[in-house]
Amino acid sequence: MSNELMDLIQTVKKQCLDGDTQSRDVMLRLLDIPLNTKEYDELCRAANEAAQVITGSSAYLWGAIGLDYARCPMNCMFCSFGEKWGVVKREIIYSPEEILEQVRRYAAEGIHFIVLRTTEFYHVASLKDLLQNIRSEVSGEYELILNIGEFDVQTANEIYEAGASGIYHAVRLREGIQTPFDPRQRMATLESILRSPLKLIHLVEPVGPEHTNEEIADVFFNSMRYGVAISGAMARIPVKGTPLGEEPAISKERLAQIIAVLRLTGGYKVPDICVHPASQEAVNAGANVVVIETGANPRDQRADREAWRGFGAGAARLLLQNAGYTVGHKK
């Protein structure tokens, strides 16, 4: 056991609860802790203790709805929608009525963040109409979040006026290498979000065992520059037929470590930490937001009206409760 590492973890936890954020160098040291060691266990325990204080033991469910199972010309190497990969055989575009039905289900299940996710070029005007329709038809304390393509500040303001409270958008790991996107274009959209009333949700993603500690840290600190409100980590899921479909996925333990380090590094500035796919290990390491998915899914070879991999609201709530959280809505 390294006394130096144990002391560092306790110092970081204290500084986190004192309102401080950590430097890149400290974040790298924490990410470098070997898995399945006493130091690793202490890191996850410290992150959970910090999370309980920072969140007031409050946790939230995140329900994503993929609106269009469609071929996308952007051809990101990890995404099943890329038209070059030929994974999407028959396109499915969900109707406003079908989307509304799923929103009602999510609201009834107590999901706080209801996320409408589209491929890159889904028509924004249709989304604004959909947001307004959902707000008028489905009562509840939920927040509406969009996960869409690039846009400017005027569009960001219009999205907010239509009823969304936030945007999921990320400069992803190896952006411009495993994707055709110019990272500067992605950051221009982040700047538009920053200049609007919308909150930014930006996970470190899609993370696999191939990504270095430095890459992970750089993505996180870049999101901090744009005022990220919800951070966390999402694993790269191997989808057969895509260029990365045979590459191994990250382990639950490594994903939990990343969650713990993000929790302790961001502190009070990033109060909500999300993990996807969820595991008890990651929730025990400081995540307080867990994702459920239905509809079109870039991490699968098909669209599904039921919860992805059978992981629904009940299972998600149980994971969070097992870690000491109360699951509900933001006040």
Side-chain angles (χ1 to χ4, degrees), residues 8-27:
L8 174 64
I9 292 166
Q10 290 307 312
T11 298
V12 167
K13 185 183 83 168
K14 181 181 183 305
Q15 291 172 343
C16 173
L17 293 177
D18 286 344
D20 298 330
T21 55
Q22 294 301 316
S23 68
R24 184 176 184 273
D25 287 345
V26 169
M27 184 176 182

Side-chain angles (χ1 to χ4, degrees), residues 11-319:
T11 298
V12 167
K13 185 183 83 168
K14 181 181 183 305
Q15 291 172 343
C16 173
L17 293 177
D18 286 344
D20 298 330
T21 55
Q22 294 301 316
S23 68
R24 184 176 184 273
D25 287 345
V26 169
M27 184 176 182
L28 292 176
R29 289 185 68 189
L30 297 177
L31 286 169
D32 201 41
I33 292 173
L35 302 181
N36 302 315
T37 61
K38 290 183 178 180
E39 292 84 358
Y40 170 83
D41 292 341
E42 185 64 22
L43 172 70
C44 294
R45 182 164 45 249
N48 178 269
E49 291 169 357
Q52 299 298 330
V53 176
I54 290 168
T55 67
S57 297
S58 295
Y60 310 99
L61 301 182
W62 171 291
I65 307 171
L67 306 192
D68 55 332
Y69 183 65
R71 302 174 190 93
C72 177
M74 302 312 289
N75 298 309
C76 297
M77 294 174 69
F78 42 76
C79 178
S80 64
F81 297 162
E83 62 182 0
K84 281 186 181 179
W85 323 142
V87 173
V88 177
K89 306 298 184 188
R90 181 175 66 89
E91 295 192 348
I92 299 171
I93 312 297
Y94 290 103
S95 69
E97 292 74 22
E98 290 172 312
I99 297 165
L100 199 61
E101 178 184 355
Q102 182 59 57
V103 170
R104 286 195 181 99
R105 285 174 58 187
Y106 276 165
E109 290 173 327
I111 288 173
H112 182 76
F113 300 108
I114 298 179
V115 183
L116 308 180
R117 184 180 61 224
T118 73
T119 53
E120 185 68 14
F121 301 108
Y122 199 100
H123 201 230
V124 175
S126 299
L127 286 168
K128 289 189 286 187
D129 289 343
L130 182 58
L131 288 169
Q132 292 173 334
N133 190 33
I134 291 170
R135 282 295 179 203
S136 66
E137 295 291 330
V138 184
S139 60
E141 300 178 80
Y142 61 87
E143 295 185 50
L144 288 173
I145 310 292
L146 292 189
N147 181 351
I148 59 176
E150 312 303 322
F151 53 87
D152 59 18
V153 68
Q154 178 180 336
T155 302
N157 288 325
E158 291 171 357
I159 288 168
Y160 178 79
E161 292 298 325
S165 63
I167 292 285
Y168 182 90
H169 201 76
V171 178
R172 296 161 293 188
L173 289 157
R174 303 192 181 175
E175 195 80 83
I177 299 171
Q178 293 179 340
T179 80
F181 290 90
D182 184 338
R184 293 171 296 183
Q185 181 186 35
R186 304 287 286 183
M187 284 188 276
T189 301
L190 294 178
E191 181 67 28
S192 295
I193 298 166
L194 180 63
R195 293 168 55 198
S196 79
L198 293 167
K199 71 173 67 170
L200 171 65
I201 302 94
H202 182 317
L203 305 190
V204 176
E205 57 106 340
V207 63
E210 68 273 18
H211 296 114
T212 66
N213 294 338
E214 289 78 9
E215 288 177 292
I216 292 166
D218 288 345
V219 167
F220 177 68
F221 279 108
N222 185 64
S223 73
M224 291 275 285
R225 290 175 51 207
Y226 294 97
V228 62
I230 303 174
S231 184
M234 179 168 60
R236 175 184 54 72
I237 304 298
V239 181
K240 291 194 175 191
T242 65
L244 298 178
E246 301 301 324
E247 296 298 318
I250 194 172
S251 70
K252 289 182 180 180
E253 292 78 14
R254 175 58 170 167
L255 189 59
Q257 178 181 32
I258 294 168
I259 289 295
V261 174
L262 296 176
R263 168 62 73 190
L264 292 170
T265 302
Y268 281 95
K269 286 192 175 179
V270 191
D272 294 318
I273 298 292
C274 176
V275 63
H276 188 52
S279 68
Q280 194 67 65
E281 290 88 341
V283 172
N284 289 349
N288 72 313
V289 180
V290 164
V291 178
I292 299 150
E293 296 190 270
T294 60
N297 193 327
R299 287 166 285 281
D300 212 326
Q301 295 177 312
R302 62 193 179 102
D304 198 336
R305 295 175 189 274
E306 301 304 316
W308 183 58
R309 296 185 172 180
F311 183 74
R317 184 175 283 106
L318 185 60
L319 286 183

